[in-house]
mmCIF file of all heavy atoms in Angstrom:
data_model
loop_
_atom_site.group_PDB
_atom_site.id
_atom_site.type_symbol
_atom_site.label_atom_id
_atom_site.label_comp_id
_atom_site.label_asym_id
_atom_site.label_seq_id
_atom_site.Cartn_x
_atom_site.Cartn_y
_atom_site.Cartn_z
ATOM 1 N N ALA A 22 -86.749 -153.488 -141.198
ATOM 2 C CA ALA A 22 -86.693 -154.859 -141.038
ATOM 3 C C ALA A 22 -86.314 -155.240 -139.559
ATOM 4 O O ALA A 22 -85.821 -154.290 -138.791
ATOM 5 C CB ALA A 22 -85.740 -155.566 -141.895
ATOM 6 N N ALA A 39 -71.940 -157.060 -144.351
ATOM 7 C CA ALA A 39 -72.688 -155.828 -144.494
ATOM 8 C C ALA A 39 -71.686 -154.622 -144.236
ATOM 9 O O ALA A 39 -71.849 -153.596 -144.866
ATOM 10 C CB ALA A 39 -73.801 -155.830 -143.537
ATOM 11 N N GLU A 201 -83.028 -150.496 -116.762
ATOM 12 C CA GLU A 201 -83.169 -150.320 -118.163
ATOM 13 C C GLU A 201 -82.029 -149.452 -118.618
ATOM 14 O O GLU A 201 -81.588 -148.614 -117.917
ATOM 15 C CB GLU A 201 -84.368 -149.457 -118.487
ATOM 16 C CG GLU A 201 -85.642 -150.122 -118.433
ATOM 17 C CD GLU A 201 -86.815 -149.132 -118.445
ATOM 18 O OE1 GLU A 201 -87.032 -148.698 -119.682
ATOM 19 O OE2 GLU A 201 -87.220 -148.596 -117.426
ATOM 20 N N PHE A 205 -78.140 -143.596 -127.260
ATOM 21 C CA PHE A 205 -78.570 -142.955 -128.538
ATOM 22 C C PHE A 205 -77.377 -142.117 -129.073
ATOM 23 O O PHE A 205 -76.743 -141.388 -128.334
ATOM 24 C CB PHE A 205 -79.667 -142.027 -128.404
ATOM 25 C CG PHE A 205 -80.355 -141.473 -129.610
ATOM 26 C CD1 PHE A 205 -81.314 -142.118 -130.236
ATOM 27 C CD2 PHE A 205 -79.889 -140.243 -130.091
ATOM 28 C CE1 PHE A 205 -81.819 -141.600 -131.622
ATOM 29 C CE2 PHE A 205 -80.324 -139.623 -131.300
ATOM 30 C CZ PHE A 205 -81.327 -140.376 -132.060
ATOM 31 N N PHE A 220 -74.405 -152.336 -118.517
ATOM 32 C CA PHE A 220 -75.177 -153.354 -117.802
ATOM 33 C C PHE A 220 -74.212 -153.971 -116.724
ATOM 34 O O PHE A 220 -74.594 -153.950 -115.503
ATOM 35 C CB PHE A 220 -75.629 -154.475 -118.808
ATOM 36 C CG PHE A 220 -76.337 -155.606 -118.206
ATOM 37 C CD1 PHE A 220 -76.509 -155.714 -116.745
ATOM 38 C CD2 PHE A 220 -76.841 -156.676 -118.977
ATOM 39 C CE1 PHE A 220 -77.249 -156.854 -116.172
ATOM 40 C CE2 PHE A 220 -77.499 -157.799 -118.404
ATOM 41 C CZ PHE A 220 -77.608 -157.897 -117.057
ATOM 42 N N PHE A 331 -60.570 -155.004 -135.359
ATOM 43 C CA PHE A 331 -59.657 -153.966 -134.817
ATOM 44 C C PHE A 331 -60.275 -152.689 -135.170
ATOM 45 O O PHE A 331 -60.714 -152.488 -136.395
ATOM 46 C CB PHE A 331 -58.283 -154.102 -135.541
ATOM 47 C CG PHE A 331 -57.524 -155.409 -135.148
ATOM 48 C CD1 PHE A 331 -57.689 -156.481 -136.034
ATOM 49 C CD2 PHE A 331 -56.800 -155.477 -134.005
ATOM 50 C CE1 PHE A 331 -57.022 -157.617 -135.732
ATOM 51 C CE2 PHE A 331 -56.157 -156.605 -133.706
ATOM 52 C CZ PHE A 331 -56.241 -157.769 -134.511
ATOM 53 N N ARG A 409 -49.401 -144.110 -108.312
ATOM 54 C CA ARG A 409 -48.917 -143.091 -107.314
ATOM 55 C C ARG A 409 -47.402 -143.099 -107.275
ATOM 56 O O ARG A 409 -46.768 -144.009 -107.088
ATOM 57 C CB ARG A 409 -49.456 -143.641 -105.861
ATOM 58 C CG ARG A 409 -50.905 -143.542 -105.705
ATOM 59 C CD ARG A 409 -51.485 -142.226 -105.793
ATOM 60 N NE ARG A 409 -50.953 -141.272 -104.860
ATOM 61 C CZ ARG A 409 -51.471 -140.959 -103.724
ATOM 62 N NH1 ARG A 409 -52.701 -141.500 -103.292
ATOM 63 N NH2 ARG A 409 -50.780 -140.169 -102.884
ATOM 64 N N LYS A 443 -43.299 -135.447 -104.587
ATOM 65 C CA LYS A 443 -44.310 -134.657 -104.166
ATOM 66 C C LYS A 443 -45.670 -135.188 -104.415
ATOM 67 O O LYS A 443 -45.850 -135.805 -105.466
ATOM 68 C CB LYS A 443 -44.178 -133.223 -104.994
ATOM 69 C CG LYS A 443 -43.312 -132.189 -104.138
ATOM 70 C CD LYS A 443 -43.057 -130.984 -104.937
ATOM 71 C CE LYS A 443 -44.368 -130.121 -105.136
ATOM 72 N NZ LYS A 443 -44.171 -129.053 -105.995
ATOM 73 N N ARG A 490 -44.365 -146.389 -108.048
ATOM 74 C CA ARG A 490 -43.633 -145.494 -107.234
ATOM 75 C C ARG A 490 -42.449 -144.880 -107.919
ATOM 76 O O ARG A 490 -41.746 -145.608 -108.727
ATOM 77 C CB ARG A 490 -42.987 -146.472 -106.046
ATOM 78 C CG ARG A 490 -42.395 -145.738 -104.852
ATOM 79 C CD ARG A 490 -43.437 -145.274 -103.997
ATOM 80 N NE ARG A 490 -42.789 -144.368 -103.066
ATOM 81 C CZ ARG A 490 -43.176 -144.185 -101.753
ATOM 82 N NH1 ARG A 490 -44.266 -144.904 -101.230
ATOM 83 N NH2 ARG A 490 -42.579 -143.357 -100.986
ATOM 84 N N ALA A 547 -33.815 -148.337 -102.822
ATOM 85 C CA ALA A 547 -34.963 -148.595 -103.641
ATOM 86 C C ALA A 547 -35.955 -149.522 -102.854
ATOM 87 O O ALA A 547 -37.077 -149.246 -102.892
ATOM 88 C CB ALA A 547 -34.670 -149.166 -105.045
ATOM 89 N N TYR A 570 -64.201 -137.100 -98.746
ATOM 90 C CA TYR A 570 -65.330 -137.701 -98.093
ATOM 91 C C TYR A 570 -66.528 -136.662 -97.961
ATOM 92 O O TYR A 570 -67.567 -136.970 -98.071
ATOM 93 C CB TYR A 570 -64.883 -138.288 -96.677
ATOM 94 C CG TYR A 570 -64.278 -139.705 -96.786
ATOM 95 C CD1 TYR A 570 -64.096 -140.392 -98.008
ATOM 96 C CD2 TYR A 570 -63.921 -140.428 -95.593
ATOM 97 C CE1 TYR A 570 -63.462 -141.651 -98.021
ATOM 98 C CE2 TYR A 570 -63.392 -141.684 -95.639
ATOM 99 C CZ TYR A 570 -63.180 -142.315 -96.914
ATOM 100 O OH TYR A 570 -62.681 -143.555 -96.884
#
Side-chain angles (χ1 to χ4, degrees):
E201 292 166 78
F205 187 89
F220 178 2
F331 298 96
R409 295 296 303 263
K443 269 176 64 185
R490 190 90 191 205
Y570 278 1

